[in-house]
């Protein structure tokens, strides 16, 4: 599988039009051609031409008529409460917050906590027997996004997480792959216990692997675990609101938006969101339930018209799998832990490692430990 990254290090900018960063699972190898052109000092006109083509393609995609906006769905949208998007935008960078909670210790060390399901998932990953998305696996256990940056940039990335707590709720920091509190997971190896990783060099994905131990063995990188919305999907199902991608056995749909993150050092980029469709009358209950999990992205950042986030076509997610929005339903969007990967593309650091979108680290920590009552 090849990931097409359409923006190269010499041409990055923090304006939306110039920062045309996005990824897909297209089998094109396009990022290699782009990276090669942009790194070749003898052919800057070619690099600029490639970049302008990518920008034009992104603008065309964003300009498409949104498939969600039909007469019937506009009527459904009229039944919705006001979107929280404006309030979310105003709050970006205004607070410093982490996903850590005093409840972690009690919930993780509880005698009733059954770690076998989570440990089994991690062992399958380590053995190479599990390479697919983790949605729906080990019900009742929290899942986490992984981002590893050079230790010289660890402080800036930690501050980036604190400034952007909705997409980046910080759960743990690991100085080495095995330097992880047993509160999060016992006997874990962050370089081997996820089903799929992405290896980044100079802001582009150069490898898509099932084991990252060839690039992360010691303290050359610092690992960050960030809360994931998969952690509350079982609670949604138990309440009668099962996410459609879980029912379908697919990955969640994820989209790059036009919402800028609060920057820290070299890290900036744009918010990425995940989407789950619901009937308008279900949205208040779904929002209230997920708001109780701030360490797993909390409540939605928007519902209704995707164009408000700069999303032009729900059938073409930037990551994951497209999810059908049935007649009478509206798309509901949550901040997503893939957001840091847009920041890594902009930072263009020599080496980074992340999870592949939808392929999470499964914790011993239980979902209930993330719920705020």
């Amino acid at each position: 599988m090849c990931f097409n990254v359409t923006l190269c290090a010499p041409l990055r900018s923090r304006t939306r039009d110039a920062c045309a960063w996005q990824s897909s699972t297209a089998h094109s190898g396009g990022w290699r051609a782009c990276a090669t052109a942009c790194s070749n000092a003898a052919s800057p006109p070619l690099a600029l031409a490639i970049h302008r083509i990518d920008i034009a393609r992104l603008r065309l995609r964003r300009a498409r008529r949104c498939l969600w906006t039909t007469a019937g769905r506009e009527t459904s949208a009229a039944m919705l409460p006001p979107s929280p998007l404006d309030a979310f935008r105003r709050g970006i960078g205004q607070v410093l917050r982490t996903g850590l909670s005093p409840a972690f210790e009690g919930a993780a060390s509880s005698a009733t906590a059954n770690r076998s399901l989570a440990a089994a998932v991690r062992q399958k990953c380590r053995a190479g027997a599990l390479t697919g998305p983790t949605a729906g696996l080990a019900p009742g256990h929290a899942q986490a996004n992984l981002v590893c940056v050079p230790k010289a940039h660890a402080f800036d990335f930690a501050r980036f997480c604190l400034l952007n707590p909705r997409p980046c709720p910080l759960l743990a920091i690991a100085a080495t792959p095995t330097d992880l509190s047993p509160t999060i997971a016992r006997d874990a190896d962050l370089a081997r216990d996820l089903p799929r990783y992405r290896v980044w060099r100079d802001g582009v994905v150069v490898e898509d692997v099932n084991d990252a131990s060839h690039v992360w063995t010691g303290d050359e990188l610092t690992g960050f675990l960030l809360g994931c919305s998969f952690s509350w999907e079982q609670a949604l199902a138990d309440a009668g609101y099962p996410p459609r991608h879980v029912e379908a056995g697919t990955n969640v749909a994820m989209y790059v938006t036009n919402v800028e993150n609060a920057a820290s050092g070299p890290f900036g980029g744009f918010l990425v969101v995940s989407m789950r469709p619901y009937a308008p009358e279900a949205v208040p209950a779904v929002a209230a339930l997920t708001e109780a999990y701030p360490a797993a992205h909390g409540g939605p950042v928007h519902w209704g018209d995707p164009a408000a986030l700069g999303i032009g076509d729900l059938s073409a997610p930037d990551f994951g799998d497209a999810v059908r929005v049935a007649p009478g339903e509206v798309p509901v969007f949550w901040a997503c832990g893939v957001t840091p990967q847009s920041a890594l593309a902009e930072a263009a650091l020599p080496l980074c490692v992340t999870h592949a979108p939808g392929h999470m680290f499964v914790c011993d920590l239980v979902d209930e430990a993330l719920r705020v009552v």
Side-chain angles (χ1 to χ4, degrees), residues 6 16-17 104 110 230 235 251 288 298 314 324 342 355 365:
T6 63
R16 177 58 179 170
D17 283 344
F104 281 17
S110 170
F230 289 176
N251 203 351
L314 289 179
R324 182 178 65 91
S342 81
H355 71 290
L365 190 70

Side-chain angles (χ1 to χ4, degrees), residues 5-346:
V5 179
T6 63
L7 184 63
C8 305
L11 298 172
R12 286 186 178 84
S13 167
R14 281 186 181 157
T15 63
R16 177 58 179 170
D17 283 344
C19 186
W21 173 86
Q22 58 179 317
S23 298
S24 70
T25 53
H27 298 266
S28 65
W31 69 265
R32 286 190 176 89
C34 190
T36 301
C38 289
S39 62
N40 186 351
S43 58
L46 176 59
L48 184 58
I50 292 172
H51 177 63
R52 285 175 173 168
I53 290 170
D54 288 329
I55 294 295
R57 291 170 66 188
L58 178 65
R59 285 175 173 167
L60 178 61
R61 179 173 178 267
R62 297 303 189 196
R64 292 175 185 167
R65 183 178 182 272
C66 176
L67 299 186
W68 173 81
T69 308
T70 65
R73 286 177 180 147
E74 286 172 353
T75 301
S76 297
M79 303 165 55
L80 288 169
S83 168
L85 182 57
D86 287 343
F88 172 75
R89 287 180 184 270
R90 289 193 300 270
I92 293 173
Q94 299 303 305
V95 295
L96 292 173
R97 196 176 72 206
T98 174
L100 296 171
S101 164
F104 281 17
E105 291 291 342
S109 61
S110 170
T112 61
N114 182 357
R115 300 183 180 90
S116 62
L117 288 177
V121 170
R122 296 196 299 271
Q123 286 299 319
K124 286 182 179 180
C125 293
R126 193 178 299 191
L130 176 62
T131 60
T134 54
L137 299 184
H141 286 270
Q143 298 194 27
N145 304 272
L146 175 67
V147 180
C148 308
V149 302
K151 63 180 179 180
H153 296 279
F155 175 79
D156 281 336
F157 188 76
R159 184 171 177 269
F160 176 80
C161 293
L162 296 176
L163 287 170
N164 300 278
R166 292 288 285 280
C168 307
L170 184 58
L171 301 182
I173 301 176
T176 69
T178 57
D179 176 37
L180 194 62
S181 166
T183 299
I184 303 295
R186 294 181 183 274
D187 304 317
D189 185 339
L190 291 177
R192 297 190 293 159
D193 290 353
L194 282 73
R196 192 176 295 273
Y197 300 83
R198 308 175 91 186
V199 178
W200 299 69
R201 293 190 185 275
D202 302 317
V204 296
V205 178
V206 297
E207 289 184 87
D208 177 32
V209 296
N210 304 121
D211 186 319
S213 60
H214 65 298
V215 292
W216 187 26
T217 56
D219 64 354
E220 64 270 44
L221 299 175
T222 300
F224 295 81
L225 286 179
L226 312 177
C228 172
S229 58
F230 289 176
S231 300
W232 39 246
E233 288 186 333
Q234 185 61 46
L236 282 176
D238 291 344
Y241 306 108
R244 182 153 298 139
H245 68 275
V246 175
E247 292 182 311
T250 61
N251 203 351
V252 69
M254 294 162 274
Y255 306 84
V256 181
T257 74
N258 59 10
V259 179
E260 290 191 64
N261 300 315
S264 174
F267 304 105
F270 291 83
L271 175 72
V272 176
V273 294
S274 60
M275 189 278 291
R276 298 159 183 81
Y278 285 100
E281 58 270 22
V283 169
V286 167
L289 188 153
T290 56
E291 283 169 1
Y293 294 85
H297 304 306
V301 299
H302 178 57
W303 49 68
D305 189 357
L309 292 169
I311 299 170
D313 187 351
L314 289 179
S315 70
D318 295 292
F319 310 96
D321 300 313
V323 176
R324 182 178 65 91
V325 181
E329 292 182 331
V330 295
V332 184
F333 301 92
W334 283 264
C336 176
V338 178
T339 296
Q341 298 191 26
S342 81
L344 294 186
E346 183 172 302

